[in-house]
Amino acid sequence: MEEEGGGSSSTGTGTGTGTGSTGSGGTVSGGLQQRELEHMAEILVTGEQLRLRLHEEKVIKDRRHHLKTYPNCFVAKELIDWLIDRKEASDRETAIKLMQKLADRGIIHHVCDEHKEFKDVKLFYRFRKDDGTFPLDNEVKVFMRGQRLYEKLMSSENTLLQPREEEGIKYERTFMASELLDWLVQEGEATTRNEAEQLCHRLLEHGIIQHVSNKHAFVDSNLLYQFRMNFRRRRRLMELLNERSPSSQETHDSPFCLRKQNSDNRKPTSFMSVSPSKEIKIVSAVRRSSMSSCGSSGYFSSSPTLSGSPPVLCNPKSVLKRPVTSEELLTPGAPYARKTFTIVGDAVGWGFVVRGSKPCHIQAVDPSGPAAAAGMKVCQFVVSVNGLNVLHVDYRTVSNLILTGPRTIVMEVMEELEY
């Protein structure tokens, strides 16, 4: 009951960076490629935000058909009703086009891969992030990595992003190239300074960061750079039908671009005026930062959000059989065993989902990720993260501990004994 949802729609690897200007130079094909990469990035963010909303409103759930359970799926016809009701689409035809766009990019698919077109009927579809079948390529991996770094840098504890001046112009939320390289090595995002610099070259090639005035490629120096995309901005689904990526529009009012601060007292750019408390906390679609701060869970996965190639279900039944309290876990003689895992994140993360509150539990584990290799399983309860007891906090706190910590995490869990 479901479609095979197209490929990943990548455009190959990025072009070289060199050391010259990136503002107006470059070939026509290079410019087209960057616009396509930016457009792809917007589709990924939009699709992920939709997935989180559907989880939160229970549109995505386990469903049964012919005595078989299909985990984490939605009914096409019901989703179209939901899109119209939420004013995300004006009519059913438009809703179908929006979902087909996600299918063509390999973000959703029919649960049995039997239908390529998204149909307004009672068929089951699923987000590939929810079953571990998202097709990964170099472009997607770079995008997911950039999104994770963005979330870490935007955290309240981080002070790397600051207003600074370059050539007499003040820019908001900038980072100095040399300081970012130091931070990447310090945070374990890169093992050497050279590796960190290569990562920044890729982020710039893919339109994720840029020089504040768009005059330079990435150079280990005191030059200032910014993130081009506001990953947290709430996307409208109708943006999927725009052929041109909003982030490619050279306008100071673009919500996707961090531009220089206005020299007069006019209203600042929309990125600067958005209140974080009102934003959707976009999940990092990447394994490491793909946790959701808004109600659904994301993968702490090792690739951008799911496993690699072969289609595999990611722990079909990943819900608790009954509520369990922290007090019950700590009761002497309770039928639970403690286990400790040391999980070393791979290129982009760890590969699991944490949900719940007081205590949190493991809701899903990517079969191909580091967590699964360490022995983590669904329905285990999280006791501590890197030595900090988390039995009495919610999954958002646990998520933040993991995302802002080192690449190697030590987790203590409790697992119900089987008799």
Side-chain angles (χ1 to χ4, degrees), residues 96-362:
I96 292 172
K97 288 180 180 178
L98 290 171
M99 298 312 295
Q100 186 63 49
K101 179 74 75 170
L102 296 181
D104 291 341
R105 294 284 175 153
I107 294 172
I108 64 170
H109 69 128
H110 176 257
V111 293
C112 297
D113 289 328
E114 293 176 353
H115 302 275
K116 281 195 171 184
E117 286 98 23
F118 187 86
K119 301 179 180 180
D120 185 5
V121 293
K122 292 183 178 180
L123 289 175
F124 292 168
Y125 290 78
R126 183 186 292 124
F127 281 79
R128 290 189 179 274
K129 179 170 183 179
D130 283 331
D131 65 12
T133 63
F134 192 82
L136 305 179
D137 55 34
N138 291 333
E139 278 65 43
V140 173
K141 288 179 180 178
V142 172
F143 165 74
M144 298 299 187
R145 190 96 181 265
Q147 186 175 15
R148 182 181 78 249
L149 296 176
Y150 175 91
E151 290 296 335
K152 290 181 72 172
L153 289 168
M154 287 291 289
S155 68
S156 56
E157 299 85 2
N158 195 288
T159 58
L160 199 65
L161 300 182
Q162 296 285 341
R164 296 181 176 89
E165 287 190 11
E166 185 170 291
E167 296 181 351
I169 301 175
K170 187 173 183 180
Y171 297 89
E172 291 294 314
R173 290 178 179 168
T174 69
F175 55 87
M176 193 177 297
S178 57
E179 291 182 0
L180 179 65
L181 296 179
D182 292 337
W183 180 82
L184 289 171
V185 175
Q186 177 184 337
E187 290 293 310
E189 294 290 344
T191 55
T192 65
R193 196 174 184 82
N194 182 62
E195 181 183 325
E197 187 170 1
Q198 290 305 312
L199 169 60
C200 293
H201 283 314
R202 293 195 296 274
L203 294 176
L204 188 139
E205 289 170 3
H206 287 72
I208 296 171
I209 64 173
Q210 69 175 24
H211 178 251
V212 288
S213 59
N214 209 19
K215 293 180 179 178
H216 300 279
F218 189 87
V219 182
D220 183 358
S221 64
N222 292 335
L223 290 174
L224 301 182
Y225 296 82
Q226 296 171 313
F227 278 85
R228 293 195 62 196
M229 291 182 64
N230 176 3
F231 288 98
R232 293 181 174 181
R233 184 188 69 85
R234 171 76 172 271
R235 270 71 169 171
R236 298 288 298 178
L237 283 177
M238 289 301 294
E239 294 175 22
L240 294 175
L241 301 183
N242 295 334
E243 289 303 316
R244 185 177 178 182
S245 166
S247 60
S248 65
Q249 298 172 2
E250 295 301 325
T251 162
H252 287 206
D253 296 325
S254 171
F256 296 86
C257 297
L258 299 184
R259 296 293 186 176
K260 62 186 179 184
Q261 179 176 319
N262 294 337
S263 55
D264 55 18
N265 294 322
R266 291 177 300 175
K267 183 178 179 180
T269 63
S270 37
F271 181 92
M272 294 157 55
S273 62
V274 170
S275 166
S277 62
K278 296 181 181 179
E279 293 172 329
I280 244 189
K281 294 335 183 260
I282 171 93
V283 341
S284 5
V286 313
R287 285 194 149 149
R288 195 167 205 175
S289 67
S290 92
M291 94 327 165
S292 150
S293 340
C294 54
S296 160
S297 55
Y299 270 105
F300 290 110
S301 20
S302 55
S303 341
T305 258
L306 308 162
S307 64
S309 26
V312 288
L313 280 180
C314 192
N315 297 307
K317 196 68 175 176
S318 59
V319 294
L320 299 178
K321 296 177 182 177
R322 63 179 182 84
V324 175
T325 64
S326 299
E327 290 70 25
E328 178 181 343
L329 292 177
L330 298 175
T331 301
Y336 296 95
R338 290 185 180 240
K339 295 185 176 182
T340 301
F341 304 124
T342 299
I343 306 171
V344 182
D346 61 11
V348 255
W350 300 276
F352 66 94
V353 173
V354 63
R355 287 293 301 279
S357 177
K358 302 178 183 180
C360 301
H361 64 274
I362 304 301

Side-chain angles (χ1 to χ4, degrees), residues 53 76-96 98 120 236-237:
R53 292 176 65 194
K77 191 175 184 67
E78 292 179 5
L79 178 60
I80 290 176
D81 293 337
W82 185 90
L83 291 172
I84 294 175
D85 183 57
R86 299 300 188 281
K87 303 189 185 307
E88 291 287 355
S90 56
D91 50 53
R92 304 191 79 81
E93 181 180 357
T94 301
I96 292 172
L98 290 171
D120 185 5
R236 298 288 298 178
L237 283 177

